[in-house]
Structures are given as structure tokens and as C-alpha cells.
Amino acid sequence: MFDTFSDGTNAFAFGVTPYGVRREILVSMGGAASEGFNATWDIKWKAEAQRFDDHYTVEVAIPFTSQIQKERIWRFRAYRWNLQTNEQSTWSIVPQNRFCLILPLWAN
């Protein structure tokens, strides 16, 4: 998830499954409600996934021209959702009132 506005409210989210299925979403209103997610946004970007016995890796290439750059300093947050164990992981703490931000990006 990239907050190129650096406002903590709007962001560009990119998701990739272990099988390489991609999903991109525009986030607004801080992701506090389902109306704050626009899954019809469609840009050109690449991602490849490799699966192994005990882990998987994902490589992503997002052109800078695909994002609306408003600020020089961007915020970034990486998420991981394991549907088999219902485990949610992130590099930084997610406020409880922003529960929607950690929904799997490929779910409908």
C-alpha cells in the first residue's frame, strides 16, 4: 500500500497471491469503510510469484507513472494475509479502526 499523498487517508494498494493473481485498489477515507475501496481502478503493472514447500516469494514492478505523486515523501505499508491460518501480518501497527485495510486484496 502506497500513500503518495502522505495524508494517511488515501492510498494505492497492490495485492498478489502466491499464484501470481494481481489486484489493485484505490483506498480513500482511511479505509475505515467499504465505500473507501475502489477495485475498478486498473493500471499496468507486473508481478511474479514463486511457490516453494514452506514459503513463497513475490516480485512486483509498479511504474511510477501509474501513481499520482503528490508528495516527495511517501508512506508504505506491506501486508500479508494467510487464508489457511487466518493470520494477518504487517510491518507496522494497524489502528483498530482501520480493519478494512488488512482484508485480502484479491477477495470480492
Side-chain angles (χ1 to χ4, degrees), residues 22-97:
R22 296 176 297 136
R23 181 78 179 259
E24 62 271 356
I25 297 174
L26 287 175
V27 179
S28 61
M29 300 184 296
S34 61
E35 298 84 31
F37 292 88
N38 179 354
T40 61
W41 180 56
D42 187 24
I43 65 159
K44 304 291 184 209
W45 62 290
K46 299 178 183 179
E48 291 187 16
Q50 282 190 297
R51 293 182 297 125
F52 302 93
D53 290 337
D54 60 346
H55 69 283
Y56 69 95
T57 61
V58 174
E59 184 177 343
V60 178
I62 304 168
F64 285 118
T65 57
S66 299
Q67 300 196 21
I68 303 169
Q69 183 174 351
K70 296 290 184 182
E71 300 292 331
R72 288 188 59 211
I73 298 174
W74 294 0
R75 298 177 190 200
F76 171 76
R77 179 171 281 155
Y79 295 92
R80 180 177 174 271
W81 179 290
N82 186 331
L83 295 176
Q84 293 177 343
T85 62
N86 201 30
E87 176 189 351
Q88 304 170 25
S89 306
T90 182
W91 279 347
S92 56
I93 296 172
V94 178
Q96 286 186 343
N97 66 339

